[in-house]
Amino acid sequence: ARRLISKGWFTPDDFDDIRLRDLVFFDRLAVLGTITAVARELGVPKPTASRWLASLEERVGSPLLVRGPRQAVLTEQGVAFHRQLQPVLAGLRALRHTTGDQPGGTLRVSVPVPLGRLLGGPVIADFHRRMPGVRLEVLLQNQRVDLVRDRIDLAIRGGPMPDSSLL
């Protein structure tokens, strides 16, 4: 096995065998302290989690932790590896959020005027907090709307519906 930690630099080939799931597993192991706890959190059998760790340690060419009877303790190399892994995982999480994990676009909603006045402010504020990438257009109107012609994504109305085929 090649020693990646001691080199201080990497080539694309150095990452051929390292799986992201192994890196996430190791990160959680550093936080939780036991293979059992991480296996439970990730929903995998403990032997599978142990294989992931062994694979990662083999790939980096160094033991990353010492297994004790009650918990795992990171080696010096494990501490250094974990410290360097943190910004990588943070960057991947940020990348995931900027590449489509979060909804985006415009949502056009038609609501009756009284309902819009009653709920509009708090509901819209909560919506923007939860879905910052979505532009919300709220149309306050009491008359019936043509969803296709008016390009409305959602219409909220009270009372009986004249055409139940819209459901």
Side-chain angles (χ1 to χ4, degrees):
R2 297 184 310 225
R3 294 186 54 85
L4 299 181
I5 293 175
S6 62
K7 282 187 195 176
W9 55 272
F10 302 103
T11 67
D13 291 339
D14 290 330
F15 296 97
D16 284 347
D17 298 332
I18 294 180
R19 294 178 175 238
L20 181 57
R21 77 149 190 241
D22 298 348
L23 297 175
V24 170
F25 166 79
F26 180 73
D27 176 59
R28 297 307 299 148
L29 180 59
V31 172
L32 297 177
T34 70
I35 293 174
T36 302
V38 179
R40 187 178 314 117
E41 182 179 281
L42 298 178
V44 298
K46 185 179 173 186
T48 299
S50 293
R51 280 194 306 274
W52 291 354
L53 176 62
S55 172
L56 182 61
E57 287 179 322
E58 180 182 333
R59 187 65 186 119
V60 298
S62 180
L64 298 173
L65 66 118
V66 176
R67 293 155 186 83
R70 298 197 185 268
Q71 72 177 31
V73 178
L74 296 181
T75 63
E76 185 177 323
Q77 294 88 354
V79 170
F81 190 80
H82 187 248
R83 187 177 326 113
Q84 293 176 22
L85 179 60
Q86 293 306 295
V88 171
L89 292 178
L92 289 172
R93 286 183 193 105
L95 180 63
R96 187 181 83 203
H97 290 298
T98 61
T99 58
D101 185 50
Q102 295 291 319
T106 300
L107 179 65
R108 291 177 47 93
V109 180
S110 172
V111 297
V113 175
L115 181 63
R117 286 185 180 153
L118 180 66
L119 300 175
V123 171
I124 292 171
D126 186 53
F127 182 88
H128 281 296
R129 182 181 58 75
R130 292 177 186 227
M131 304 283 188
V134 177
R135 181 172 176 259
L136 184 63
E137 288 183 19
V138 179
L139 307 168
L140 300 176
Q141 47 196 179
N142 291 326
Q143 69 274 17
R144 288 188 197 155
V145 294
D146 182 321
L147 297 175
V148 176
R149 182 192 70 223
D150 297 332
R151 298 182 357 255
I152 294 176
D153 301 303
L154 172 67
I156 300 173
R157 293 290 177 262
M161 289 187 59
D163 182 359
S164 63
S165 69
L166 295 176
L167 295 177

